[in-house]
């Protein structure tokens, strides 16, 4: 009999190696935070129960890591990697219930060969956090179905509620498991007990503060989801968008299938009766959310982004190994090991190369090469040269304004896109009253900020743009940021009085000179 502790040690070694490698890639090859990481930190520092795009949990986690690390942006990305290895552990734990220990380890290790769990930049976002809590919910609910105990149902509800506080499409996992619980005889029997009701109650208790926030804020985050997936309403969208989504998911899984191919046969593995619920559950949590997503796209014609499928495949390796017949040949295991090492190593090399060699190949930098620290230093210096005290507000496109705020010596309030729907705690009157600096992309003729500036802040002082090199040795273009200074209302009024006094004094002096000359 295989030693579960032996393969468990291999799992923890894999988890440690993943964290060391991918967090190091983030520290050494990403001198600036990614868009998602910076956005999450800024949201979390504001401490709301929701934001204009998403529920709050990822923001809270990012801001917590940022504060605990003394302001290190990479620490928030490291939390994202903790979420990834949580999925590795969850795949192993569920695999241990239905597979031999070595196969359970392989089912988890296959995630290292999936694009969604590796190659995307080291960052934190709502998708990554939802993936981790959904995985924990899937494992815990299965254990509750198999072993009972009310506390397991309650814990499953907690994980599901936290997944919903990360991203709304965690509901697809809940709906899929609900459908199974109503259709499968063994799963349906649990409705005669309190477990499923406790699970639902706990999940709703956890999620309810965000529901209250949504009601108070005109369901802004829900509207964003629909706006993000909106299409032109063409009939062909009902075919093209589902096919594109399904194709992108298949491409992301191809490396996993390539690695596992030596071990599997394309024949259905017979399941003994006691495993029927386990197989049905695995297929449900893997294929159910993907099926519901595709069905929605078919019915509504909405566009589904490929990354939205990232949370669907945590248990794909386990389901594959549990469902299909496997080879017992030692040579098959050797081929699998070699393929795994090649694919996993290639994904690591591609991720590191994307950040280091990529600018040389593409001829331009990416978000991680943005000079956020230099921009923050220059913008705050502009303020301090003219006005006493700290810069209270920076406004403009979210990416520019958030970089200034996050990389400044202390966080500055961000009035994103000059839109109070995005940052409801700020508006034009506050910016006029307290003063601040408006920034925009001076190299982008489509940036609407200069037009908004002329319409809503005509008295703001336009300053010379800032040109800064990007954080790469590659010969790429510098960034150019436009600036406008909004004087604090009190100081602006005082300066106007001073100007009138000087003008009046100057007029009297000229009058006196004229009298003396006569």
């Amino acid at each position: 009999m295989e030693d579960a502790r032996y393969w468990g040690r291999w799992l923890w070694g894999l988890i440690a190696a993943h964290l060391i490698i991918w967090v190091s890639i983030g520290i050494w090859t990403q001198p600036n935070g990614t868009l998602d990481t910076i956005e999450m930190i800024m949201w979390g520092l504001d401490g709301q129960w929701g934001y204009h795009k998403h529920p709050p949990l990822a923001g809270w986690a990012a801001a917590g890591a940022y504060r605990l690390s003394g302001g290190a942006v990479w620490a928030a990305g490291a939390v994202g990697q903790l979420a990834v290895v949580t999925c590795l552990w969850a795949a192993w734990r569920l695999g241990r219930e239905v597979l031999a220990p070595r196969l359970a380890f392989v089912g988890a290790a296959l995630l290292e060969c999936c694009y969604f769990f590796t190659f995307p930049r080291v960052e934190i976002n709502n998708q990554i956090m939802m993936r981790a809590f959904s995985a924990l919910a899937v494992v815990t609910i299965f254990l509750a179905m198999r072993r009972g105990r009310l506390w397991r149902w309650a814990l499953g509800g907690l994980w599901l509620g936290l997944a919903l506080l990360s991203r709304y499409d965690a509901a697809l996992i809940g709906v899929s498991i609900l459908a199974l619980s109503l259709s499968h005889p063994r799963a349906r029997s649990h409705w005669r007990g309190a477990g499923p009701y406790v699970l639902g109650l706990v999940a709703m208790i956890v999620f309810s503060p965000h529901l209250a926030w949504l009601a108070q804020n005109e369901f802004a985050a829900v509207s964003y989801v629909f706006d993000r997936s909106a299409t032109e309403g063409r009939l062909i969208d009902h075919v093209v968008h589902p096919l594109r989504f399904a194709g992108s998911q298949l491409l992301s899984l191809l490396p996993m299938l390539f690695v596992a191919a030596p071990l599997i046969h394309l024949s259905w593995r017979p399941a003994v009766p006691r495993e029927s619920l386990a197989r049905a559950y695995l297929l449900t949590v893997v294929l159910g959310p993907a099926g519901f997503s595709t069905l929605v796209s078919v019915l509504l014609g909405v566009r589904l982004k490929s990354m939205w499928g990232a949370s669907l495949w945590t248990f794909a390796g386990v389901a594959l190994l549990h469902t299909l017949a496997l080879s017992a040949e030692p040579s098959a295991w050797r081929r699998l090991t070699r393929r795994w090492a090649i694919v996993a190593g290639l994904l690591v090399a591609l991720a590191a190369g994307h950040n280091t060699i990529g600018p040389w190949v593409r001829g331009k930098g990416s978000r991680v090469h943005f000079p956020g620290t230099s921009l923050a230093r220059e913008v705050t210096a502009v303020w301090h040269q003219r006005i006493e005290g700290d810069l209270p507000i920076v406004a403009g496109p979210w990416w520019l304004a958030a970089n200034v705020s996050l990389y400044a010596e202390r966080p500055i309030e961000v009035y994103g896109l000059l839109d109070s729907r995005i940052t409801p705690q700020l508006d034009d009157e506050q910016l006029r009253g307290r003063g601040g600096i408006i920034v925009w992309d001076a190299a982008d003729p489509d940036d609407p900020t200069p037009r908004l500036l002329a319409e809503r802040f005509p008295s703001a002082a336009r300053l010379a743009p800032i040109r800064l090199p990007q954080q790469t040795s590659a010969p790429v273009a510098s960034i150019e940021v436009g600036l406008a200074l909004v004087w604090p209302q009190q100081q602006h009024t005082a300066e106007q009085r001073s100007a009138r006094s000087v003008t009046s004094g100057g007029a009297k002096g000229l009058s006196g000179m004229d009298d003396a000359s006569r």
Side-chain angles (χ1 to χ4, degrees), residues 89 159 442 449:
W89 177 87
W159 298 140
T449 310

Side-chain angles (χ1 to χ4, degrees), residues 458-480:
S459 62
R462 289 206 184 194
L463 307 174
I466 296 173
R467 290 182 62 85
L468 295 169
Q470 299 193 57
Q471 298 186 82
T472 173
S473 58
V476 299
S478 299
I479 67 153
E480 187 173 357

Side-chain angles (χ1 to χ4, degrees), residues 11 83-99 103-112 114 116-117 130-143 159-160 163 173-174 176-177 253 256-257 260 278-290 309-324:
L11 176 80
V84 172
V85 298
T86 298
C87 294
L88 291 177
W89 177 87
W92 154 263
R93 185 64 188 85
L94 188 57
R96 283 289 296 113
E97 293 293 314
V98 298
L99 296 169
L103 287 174
F105 172 77
V106 172
L110 283 174
L111 294 181
E112 294 289 343
C114 181
F116 292 132
F117 292 85
M130 186 268 284
R131 196 185 311 167
F133 287 112
S134 293
L136 292 174
V138 165
V139 172
T140 308
I141 293 171
F142 180 78
L143 292 175
W159 298 140
L160 186 59
I173 290 288
S176 299
I177 295 175
L253 292 174
M256 290 178 61
L257 298 175
R279 176 167 297 181
Y281 189 86
L282 274 170
L283 293 176
T284 295
V285 298
V286 171
L287 300 179
S311 61
L312 308 177
W313 310 118
T314 299
F315 302 99
V318 175
L320 191 71
L321 298 175
H322 185 263
T323 302
L324 299 178

